[in-house]
Amino acid sequence: MNKKKESNTVEASKVTLSELMLASHTNFSGKIHGGYLLQLMDQIAFASASRYSGCYCVTASVDKVDFLNPIEIGELVTLKASVNYVGNTSMVVGIRVVSENIQTGVVKHCNSSYFTMVAKDESGKTTSVPHLILSDLQEVRRFFDALRRIEQNKKRIHQESSFDYTSKAALDLLKKYNVIIDLP
C-alpha cells in the first residue's frame, strides 16, 4: 500500500477532459442536455479530487451551476478541473467548461462551477486529505474565493434556518410576488 502524502500541489490535481457532443446528448430543444454536462462535471471533479488526495472521493455538494451558453451538436466540449481549496477531509474542485466549434474554431465559455468532494478510506469513512501547496497568486486567489463562498454558504444556511416564514411580515412580503396566499 502506498504511503499517503502529507501535502500536494494544485498542479497534481489538474485534469482535462474533452468530448465531442453527439445527437444522443441533446435535450428536446436540440441543445446539449444540462444533465449530461453535469454528469461530465461530476466525473472530472471525482478524477481531480481522487488524483489530488490519493483516495476514493464522493460529491458532497455542487455550488451554483450557471449555464452561460448553449452547446451544440458537433462541438468539442473541454472541461478543466483542479483543487482550489482543501479542508480536513474535503476539497473544493473548480471546473471550467468551454465548447469549441471545430469547423470555425470559435470557443465559448459555457459553465464554471465548484464541486465539494469528500475523501473516503477503504471502509467508506471520511479520511484526511493532504495539505494544499499554493504555488502562485492565482492559486492563492482561488483558495480565498473558495473560503469566501464557504462563509457565504454558512451564513445563508443560518439565515434560512432562522427565518420565520409564518410571520405576518413574511406573508406580507409575498404579496409583491406573483402568488396568491390562500391559507386557512
Side-chain angles (χ1 to χ4, degrees):
M1 182 173 177
N2 293 338
K3 186 176 184 242
K4 194 170 181 177
K5 291 183 177 184
E6 289 188 24
S7 61
N8 212 346
T9 62
V10 172
E11 187 65 34
S13 73
K14 289 185 177 180
V15 178
T16 301
L17 173 69
S18 293
E19 186 172 329
L20 187 64
M21 294 296 103
L22 305 175
S24 61
H25 303 139
T26 60
N27 58 24
F28 294 112
S29 67
K31 307 297 182 195
I32 300 307
H33 196 288
Y36 184 72
L37 186 58
L38 285 169
Q39 178 184 345
L40 293 176
M41 293 169 75
D42 192 52
Q43 288 175 13
I44 198 167
F46 167 81
S48 176
S50 295
R51 175 181 273 177
Y52 174 81
S53 67
C55 301
Y56 177 77
C57 295
V58 296
T59 306
S61 69
V62 179
D63 187 28
K64 194 172 181 179
V65 178
D66 289 325
F67 295 96
L68 305 173
N69 287 295
I71 301 171
E72 308 291 337
I73 296 170
E75 290 184 335
L76 183 66
V77 169
T78 300
L79 299 91
K80 292 186 177 192
S82 64
V83 169
N84 291 351
Y85 166 90
V86 299
N88 293 322
T89 61
S90 65
M91 298 148 281
V92 174
V93 176
I95 303 169
R96 180 177 173 89
V97 181
V98 298
S99 68
E100 177 188 1
N101 180 313
I102 55 178
Q103 295 170 334
T104 66
V106 173
V107 176
K108 302 180 288 191
H109 178 207
C110 299
N111 192 300
S112 289
S113 191
Y114 304 94
F115 280 54
T116 299
M117 308 298 290
V118 175
K120 301 285 186 166
D121 65 15
E122 295 81 16
S123 64
K125 294 181 180 167
T126 58
T127 188
S128 62
V129 297
H131 298 289
L132 183 61
I133 300 169
L134 302 175
S135 303
D136 62 38
L137 289 177
Q138 183 173 352
E139 292 173 0
V140 170
R141 179 189 56 78
R142 287 179 176 159
F143 190 92
F144 274 117
D145 287 347
L147 276 175
R148 182 183 42 78
R149 282 190 306 276
I150 290 165
E151 287 305 312
Q152 287 173 340
N153 284 338
K154 286 179 184 176
K155 287 178 184 174
R156 179 187 51 79
I157 290 167
H158 174 72
Q159 288 172 340
E160 288 173 359
S161 66
S162 62
F163 181 73
D164 181 7
Y165 63 90
T166 63
S167 71
K168 181 173 178 356
L171 294 173
D172 286 345
L173 180 65
L174 290 178
K175 291 179 182 176
K176 70 178 191 178
Y177 294 96
N178 190 22
V179 297
I180 297 171
I181 302 168
D182 186 19
L183 299 174

